[in-house]
């Protein structure tokens, strides 16, 4: 039941519909403090048509409104304050959650529209960085949130598998590489060659010439160049997939940059036909002066394509293949300028989906205060961080609950969940510094804290033999439970807010609030006392468990039943 709508309906009836229900609905407020009621109608909006002071109108309204549906209706100054009937409110909310289960909060706002989500997109032959971790987990969560809001998300891993760096890598591999080594530990050795190349190319400029040659060969389909490139790509993908498996993330497509190679000429042709391409010092560019942006470089003077050329081709391909209502790019905020350029070029091309193009930026991530970089060779491998977190979780479980069955599985869910939650709990644009031990604490704003609240709920349900009830008649006195109930009731709004802002932190923060409210309820209420209300309290606990699990699922975090 929509309580705001109930208030709007009753007010509209009371004023003989001189204002429509919809207009009233829009003006309903939530009073700051709960002793002013749960919802309020400001009578100002009627004073013109009734030619009376709002105070007077409010006073008259409370005699006309059918108050039987509320606990109390009061006129305070120009406001009519509504106190919801706590008992019917809570019984309705809980009954609804138990009926809908994990579908509670679903809506169809997205009307099944396709949304492409460009996410993760690591670079071949390089380790996946913590920045790619952010893109992966933020993108994955946004996909789940959009799906709950009725959209059809398409997760697209735009692998960095093309570009001049492959000329460097091939050069380096042919000079210093060893096939056995690469087979054994591909990313490690490929990075080593790449780093060595960058150390030496300052003194040996001929290295750069060679690299340029090899890239040209690769572009022209030279057999050896293509064979090496394919091999690097394959072994890198195997390593990435291991990480994706640990994170529990999958993709709908892995169309990397190279996929668009045979689609670049069309981009150039379209830009030319539209008179958008101009020559600038031998290169081909699209001018973006009118937007105060630097020109977008489409072809270098030697005819080589660039990152943006492939992105334009990708946007064109997505436009045709999916007709997306949104085309999102979950990429760090350091590429904001670039995505501004890309969007403007697509708009100038009059691409149907250009309006839906949106960069979804996020802040930098540091681990224990250290920045990450590949060229300098100081890299923190994502896999190492994940494994360390799983080990730490395992240690905690060994201390707290040594008898737990399938400890390894739970340690993985807690360890990985802690990292994902730690990433998603603050607004994505914020920079975050990761201190692993902090993310793994069972207290405070952590994933394990939320997981543990649900474990507690599950254990109460087990002890109370909740499965023998059908929860057909829920009735709570709501002294201790009101805060929890109101949070449960607001979940559908939270789901919408997260979707509108493309912001997983809205869900993460909500899950922390709900876990906290529930823990307080648990501390103050004797839930398992055998009296009339027992069944209703178990129904509430079950609702909490359902919503905590669903919130964590929307973040891409697992919910162990025990831990
Ligand atoms: N591979 C790029 C990087 O690691 C990210 C690609 C983002 N997606 C895109 N369509 N440009 O920086």
């Amino acid at each position: 039941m929509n309580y705001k709508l109930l208030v709007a309906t009753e007010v509209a009836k009371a004023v003989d519909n001189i204002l429509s229900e919809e207009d009233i609905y829009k003006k309903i407020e939530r009073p700051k403090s709960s002793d002013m009621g749960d919802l309020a109608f400001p009578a100002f909006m009627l004073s013109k048509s009734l030619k009376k002071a709002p105070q007077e109108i409010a006073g008259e309204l409370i005699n006309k409104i059918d108050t039987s549906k509320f606990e109390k209706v009061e006129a305070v100054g120009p406001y009519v304050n509504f106190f919801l009937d706590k008992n019917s409110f809570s019984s309705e909310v809980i009954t609804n959650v138990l009926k809908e289960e994990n579908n509670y909060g679903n809506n169809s706002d997205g009307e099944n529209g396709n949304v492409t989500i460009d996410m993760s997109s690591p670079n071949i032959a390089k380790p996946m960085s913590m920045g790619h971790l952010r893109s992966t987990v933020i993108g994955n969560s946004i996909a789940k949130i959009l799906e709950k809001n009725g959209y059809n998300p398409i997760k697209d891993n735009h692998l960095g598998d093309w570009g001049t760096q492959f000329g460097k890598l091939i050069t380096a591999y042919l000079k210093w590489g060893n096939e056995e080594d690469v087979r054994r530990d591909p990313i490690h050795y490929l990075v080593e060659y790449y780093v060595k190349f960058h150390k030496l190319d300052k003194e040996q400029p001929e290295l750069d010439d060679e690299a340029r040659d090899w890239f040209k060969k690769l572009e022209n389909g030279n057999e050896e160049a293509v064979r090496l490139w394919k091999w690097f790509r394959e072994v890198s993908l195997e390593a990435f997939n291991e990480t994706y498996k640990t994170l529990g993330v999958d993709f709908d497509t892995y169309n990397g940059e190279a996929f668009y190679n045979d689609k670049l000429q069309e981009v150039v042709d379209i830009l030319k036909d539209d008179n958008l391409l101009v020559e600038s010092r031998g290169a081909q560019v699209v001018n973006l002066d009118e937007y105060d942006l630097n020109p977008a470089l489409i072809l270098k003077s030697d005819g080589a394509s660039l990152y943006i050329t492939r992105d334009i081709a990708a946007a064109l391909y997505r436009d045709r293949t999916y007709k997306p209502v949104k085309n999102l790019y979950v990429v760090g905020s350091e590429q904001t300028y670039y995505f501004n350029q890309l969007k403007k070029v697509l708009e100038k091309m009059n691409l149907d989906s250009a309006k839906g193009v949106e960069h979804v930026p996020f802040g930098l991530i540091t681990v224990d205060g250290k920045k990450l970089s590949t060229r300098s060779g100081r890299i923190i491998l994502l896999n190492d961080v994940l494994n360390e977190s799983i080990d730490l979780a395992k240690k905690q479980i060994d201390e707290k609950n040594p008898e737990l069955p399938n400890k390894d599985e739970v340690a993985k869910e807690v360890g990985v969940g802690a990292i994902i939650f730690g990433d998603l709990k603050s607004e994505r644009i914020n920079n975050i510094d990761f201190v692993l031990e902090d993310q793994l604490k069972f207290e405070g704003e952590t994933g394990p804290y939320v997981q543990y609240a649900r474990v507690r709920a599950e254990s109460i349900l087990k002890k109370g033999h909740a499965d023998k009830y059908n929860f057909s008649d829920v009735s709570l006195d709501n002294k201790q439970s009101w805060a929890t109930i109101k949070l449960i009731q607001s979940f559908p709004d939270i789901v919408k807010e997260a979707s509108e802002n493309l912001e997983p932190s809205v869900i993460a923060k909500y899950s922390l609030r709900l876990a906290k409210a529930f823990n307080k309820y648990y501390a103050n209420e004797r839930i398992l006392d055998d009296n009339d209300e027992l069944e209703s309290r178990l129904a509430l606990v079950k609702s909490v468990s359902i919503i905590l699990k669903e919130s964590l699922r929307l973040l891409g975090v697992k919910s162990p039943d025990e831990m």
Side-chain angles (χ1 to χ4, degrees), residues 104-155:
Y104 177 67
N106 287 15
N107 68 66
S108 47
D109 289 359
E111 297 176 332
N112 251 323
N114 285 341
V115 179
T116 46
I117 307 178
D118 187 307
M119 54 181 269
S120 193
S121 313
N123 300 319
I124 294 301
K126 289 190 192 168
M128 203 185 300
S129 69
M130 291 296 282
H132 295 121
L133 163 81
R134 293 213 75 188
S135 173
T136 309
V137 305
I138 293 170
N140 187 50
S141 175
I142 287 177
K144 290 181 196 293
I145 291 167
L146 288 177
E147 194 168 37
K148 199 167 174 74
N149 283 276
Y151 292 92
N152 177 36
I154 295 144
K155 291 180 278 181

Side-chain angles (χ1 to χ4, degrees), residues 118-124 126 129 132 135 156-161 165 257 307-308 310-311 314 318 328-332 334-335 338-339 342:
D118 187 307
M119 54 181 269
S120 193
S121 313
N123 300 319
I124 294 301
K126 289 190 192 168
S129 69
H132 295 121
S135 173
D156 188 337
N157 195 336
H158 191 78
L159 292 170
D161 58 1
Q165 72 271 27
E257 293 185 43
Y307 184 51
I308 198 167
R310 295 185 283 278
D311 254 331
R318 286 174 197 164
L328 308 177
Y329 295 83
V330 184
V331 185
E334 68 280 3
Q335 291 190 36
Y338 169 79
F339 281 106
L342 176 64

Side-chain angles (χ1 to χ4, degrees), residues 206-242:
E206 66 279 8
L207 276 176
D208 282 324
D209 297 335
E210 264 179 73
R212 217 167 297 123
D213 270 0
W214 271 113
F215 184 60
K216 239 340 342 131
K217 283 192 199 160
L218 181 60
E219 281 194 305
N220 295 334
N222 169 288
E223 204 178 311
E224 176 161 32
V226 171
R227 179 182 65 81
L228 285 172
W229 170 78
K230 272 199 178 140
W231 181 45
F232 297 154
R233 189 182 189 277
E234 193 181 290
V235 291
S236 303
L237 252 187
E238 275 167 28
F240 295 157
N241 277 329
E242 220 172 280

Side-chain angles (χ1 to χ4, degrees), residues 82-340:
F82 293 81
F83 294 76
L84 302 180
D85 182 298
K86 291 194 176 58
N87 197 307
S88 63
F89 182 94
S90 59
S91 112
E92 201 179 304
V93 169
I94 291 176
T95 308
N96 207 355
V97 176
L98 296 183
K99 190 178 98 217
E100 308 257 328
E101 299 193 334
N102 53 338
N103 292 323
Y104 177 67
N106 287 15
N107 68 66
S108 47
D109 289 359
E111 297 176 332
N112 251 323
N114 285 341
V115 179
T116 46
I117 307 178
D118 187 307
M119 54 181 269
S120 193
S121 313
N123 300 319
I124 294 301
K126 289 190 192 168
M128 203 185 300
S129 69
M130 291 296 282
H132 295 121
L133 163 81
R134 293 213 75 188
S135 173
T136 309
V137 305
I138 293 170
N140 187 50
S141 175
I142 287 177
K144 290 181 196 293
I145 291 167
L146 288 177
E147 194 168 37
K148 199 167 174 74
N149 283 276
Y151 292 92
N152 177 36
I154 295 144
K155 291 180 278 181
D156 188 337
N157 195 336
H158 191 78
L159 292 170
D161 58 1
W162 201 253
T164 46
Q165 72 271 27
F166 288 98
K168 297 177 188 172
L169 187 61
I170 292 173
T171 307
Y173 173 75
L174 291 175
K175 283 199 184 317
W176 314 298
N178 172 304
E179 187 174 333
E180 272 312 296
D181 286 344
V182 176
R183 292 209 182 283
R184 211 164 2 105
D185 193 354
I187 305 262
H188 174 87
Y189 284 100
L190 294 177
V191 169
E192 196 175 285
Y193 309 149
Y194 188 73
V195 170
K196 186 162 177 184
F197 183 98
H198 273 282
K199 250 188 221 142
L200 297 181
D201 71 340
K202 281 170 208 80
E203 298 116 58
Q204 305 176 31
E206 66 279 8
L207 276 176
D208 282 324
D209 297 335
E210 264 179 73
R212 217 167 297 123
D213 270 0
W214 271 113
F215 184 60
K216 239 340 342 131
K217 283 192 199 160
L218 181 60
E219 281 194 305
N220 295 334
N222 169 288
E223 204 178 311
E224 176 161 32
V226 171
R227 179 182 65 81
L228 285 172
W229 170 78
K230 272 199 178 140
W231 181 45
F232 297 154
R233 189 182 189 277
E234 193 181 290
V235 291
S236 303
L237 252 187
E238 275 167 28
F240 295 157
N241 277 329
E242 220 172 280
T243 305
Y244 294 141
K245 209 171 130 207
T246 309
L247 288 170
V249 175
D250 55 19
F251 299 89
D252 298 297
T253 98
Y254 286 85
N255 291 341
E257 293 185 43
F259 174 79
Y260 301 100
N261 277 339
D262 63 359
K263 302 169 179 61
L264 301 178
Q265 188 53 49
E266 193 191 352
V267 167
V268 174
D269 291 345
I270 294 177
L271 290 173
K272 265 194 196 138
D273 287 348
D274 292 353
N275 287 324
L276 295 174
L277 219 50
V278 293
E279 196 177 310
S280 164
R281 277 178 267 148
Q284 300 290 323
V285 307
V286 174
N287 263 322
L288 299 171
D289 292 346
E290 67 266 46
Y291 307 106
D292 259 335
L293 291 167
N294 292 331
L297 182 54
I298 306 293
L299 291 177
K300 289 192 199 164
S301 50
D302 63 0
S305 64
L306 290 105
Y307 184 51
I308 198 167
T309 327
R310 295 185 283 278
D311 254 331
I312 298 169
L316 189 62
Y317 178 83
R318 286 174 197 164
D319 186 81
R320 288 171 180 166
T321 314
Y322 308 111
K323 300 245 161 295
V325 292
K326 293 179 209 256
N327 176 10
L328 308 177
Y329 295 83
V330 184
V331 185
S333 53
E334 68 280 3
Q335 291 190 36
T336 295
Y337 192 89
Y338 169 79
F339 281 106
N340 282 339

